[in-house]
Structure formats: structure tokens, C-alpha cells
Amino acid sequence: MKPVLKLSSAVLLAATLAWAPAYAQAFKAGFVNTDRILRDSNMAKSAQQRLEQEFSRREKEIQNLGNSLQAASDRFERESATMSESQRMQRQRQLMEQDREFQRKRREFQEDLAARKTEELAQVLERANAVVQQVAQSENYDVILQEAVWVNPKLDITDKVINALNASKR
């Protein structure tokens, strides 16, 4: 009984070894660098420009508010020695209230910007994934990877995807 097991294991091993190179030659893999797509594609650049246009006014307002708060704080430091105790306390309360308002506006701005950026990037990624699928189907790829520790540069199809994405209407 044992010799039969060894023989069948040997036949199975030989069949597997004979089949593996044929399968490996037919297998086609590719890699896409998502960060490059989000940085270099026209769609991503457009999204970045839209965000800058949408948020530049608010960013400038917040910068001005911060500069105003800093100037008021500096003025308080210079003038506090000549103020009465009640004046000093009143100005400190005003400065604290201005600082709270500044912090609130800055936090809201950052949250709104992050939410809009996520929306814009999601649209770019959705379109990029559709283009990756088109490239994979048209060029008969078996698998396209987006995350890897290391990839042979000959497997990188990021430029193809960026070019196809740039050429597509949208």
C-alpha cells in the first residue's frame, strides 16, 4: 500500500510542476500607483483647483482673523502695565473670546475642507478604478494590484491609466 501512495504523490507532484510553468506564462499581472494617479492625473489636478477656489476665501479670512488676534494680544502685552486691574481683566476676557472664536472657525474650516477633499478624491478614485478595469479587460490582465511593498517596474501600468483617464471625457 505504501508504494502506491508514494507513486501517486510523485505523479501529482510531476503534474503540478509541469502545469505551473504553463500557467505562470499565461498569467498577466499589473500594478497601479494610486498616489500618482491622485497627484498627476488631470482629473485630480482639477479637483485640487476646485478645492482651492472654493476654500481660498475662507482660508484668507481665518488667516486675517489669526493675524488680528495676534496683533490684539501683542497690543495687550504692551499696554497691560498701564491698565487698571478691571481693564486688564476685561481685555483678557475679550482676547479669550476672540481666541475661542478663531479656534472654532479654524476647526470648522479644516473639517469642511477635509470632507470636500474626501468627496473630490472619491470621485477621482471611482473614475480611475473604472479606467483600470477598462485597461485590464482590454489588455487581458488577470489581476491589477494597487498596494504592494515592491513591484517590478515592468508591471507598473500607472502611466497607461493616467493617460486613459486624461483622455476620457469627464
Side-chain angles (χ1 to χ4, degrees), residues 158-169:
T158 305
D159 289 332
K160 286 181 187 179
V161 172
I162 289 174
N163 292 336
L165 189 59
N166 289 347
S168 69
K169 304 214 190 286

Side-chain angles (χ1 to χ4, degrees), residues 75-85 87-88:
R75 191 171 45 252
F76 173 74
E77 290 294 323
R78 285 192 311 272
E79 298 172 356
S80 66
T82 61
M83 294 179 177
S84 69
E85 184 65 27
Q87 288 175 321
R88 210 175 8 259

